[in-house]
Amino acid sequence: SQKIEQNSEALNIQEGKTATLTCNYTNYSPAYLQWYRQDPGRGPVFLLLIRENEKEKRKERLKVTFDTTLKQSLFHITASQPADSATYLCALGTSGGYNKLIFGAGTRLAVHP
Amino acid sequence: GAVVSQHPSRVICKSGTSVKIECRSLDFQATTMFWYRQFPKKSLMLMATSNEGSKATYEQGVEKDKFLINHASLTLSTLTVTSAHPEDSSFYICSAARSGANTGELFFGEGSRLTVL
């Protein structure tokens, strides 16, 4: 069966450290993968998109990797800040262009001062 | 930036009544919009794909007569929950893709929390 797995347990880290979140998927062949941030009671906000032919993407303190062999994406936040505390969702897009996304359940990140 | 406005943000209704939720793209045109439902600490579950000027495409298990979707213009899609029951209480979120763009990026509304008494 098709699955997208994100660690359901909250990730607690100290301010200034690098947070690493994992997204694993099975029985999908995504054309691209996206990461979103969601705060409580709000809609998701787009962060990064990485395509199947890309290994790594960076944006300011954010870095995403995409390993289609391992069927895994890693999302890193360097020099983390308490303001980075939120739930982070990965989403798979199964064809090119904008198309319906399949979301993981998200991982809650808590950055402590 | 691209802004998607969703209204109302919160609505409480009595069982058996119908509720309409609007999703508007404020500064861009959206041929395609998507409607999701989210339970606490759960993933966004895609309900349907709303296409301007045509019928919505519903995901398996979603009742099209229960959740009516209308996409009458390039900037507005509406979701009507008909004959609402307490089990329909949830957080409903819409998203929109910019027409003509091929980036895969979606812009989300702030969500609408529906409580059915």
Side-chain angles (χ1 to χ4, degrees), chain B residues 7-68:
Chain B
H7 178 82
S9 57
R10 292 178 181 271
V11 57
I12 300 172
C13 70
K14 291 182 179 180
S15 188
T17 61
S18 294
V19 173
K20 180 186 285 188
I21 301 170
E22 292 186 346
C23 179
R24 290 181 186 275
S25 56
L26 297 186
D27 51 0
F28 66 99
Q29 293 185 331
T31 307
T32 304
M33 292 184 174
F34 302 91
W35 286 96
Y36 306 82
R37 184 172 179 177
Q38 188 177 33
F39 293 103
K41 297 184 180 179
K42 297 293 184 182
S43 173
L44 278 76
M45 183 188 78
L46 180 65
M47 299 174 64
T49 303
S50 172
N51 300 297
E52 186 268 336
S54 64
K55 290 183 179 180
T57 304
Y58 290 81
E59 295 300 303
Q60 192 172 14
V62 178
E63 300 175 58
K64 59 181 67 175
D65 294 330
K66 174 75 170 175
F67 300 100
L68 300 179

Side-chain angles (χ1 to χ4, degrees), chain A residues 32 34 36 38-47 49 51 87 89-90 96-106, chain B residues 31-32 34 36 38 41-44 46 49 59 91 93 97-106 108-111:
Chain A
Y32 57 87
Q34 300 185 15
Y36 287 81
Q38 187 175 25
D39 290 287
R42 311 291 292 274
V45 174
F46 172 81
L47 296 175
L49 179 152
R51 300 191 186 280
T87 296
L89 311 173
C90 75
Y98 52 83
N99 216 323
K100 64 182 188 180
L101 295 176
I102 310 299
F103 282 85
Chain B
T31 307
T32 304
F34 302 91
Y36 306 82
Q38 188 177 33
K41 297 184 180 179
K42 297 293 184 182
S43 173
L44 278 76
L46 180 65
T49 303
E59 295 300 303
F91 192 53
I93 308 175
R98 192 192 298 264
S99 294
N102 196 30
T103 63
E105 181 176 354
L106 293 180
F108 282 80
E110 291 291 352

Side-chain angles (χ1 to χ4, degrees), chain A residues 69-81:
Chain A
T69 301
L70 290 179
K71 298 187 184 297
Q72 179 183 78
S73 175
L74 299 178
F75 176 79
H76 306 272
I77 305 176
T78 58
S80 60
Q81 305 165 0

Side-chain angles (χ1 to χ4, degrees), chain A residues 79-95:
Chain A
S80 60
Q81 305 165 0
D84 295 326
S85 299
T87 296
Y88 291 87
L89 311 173
C90 75
L92 305 185
T94 54
S95 63

Side-chain angles (χ1 to χ4, degrees), chain B residues 63-88:
Chain B
E63 300 175 58
K64 59 181 67 175
D65 294 330
K66 174 75 170 175
F67 300 100
L68 300 179
I69 291 172
N70 184 278
H71 195 151
S73 77
L74 285 172
T75 59
L76 174 64
S77 175
T78 60
L79 168 68
T80 301
V81 183
T82 63
S83 186
H85 291 285
E87 57 266 30
D88 298 324

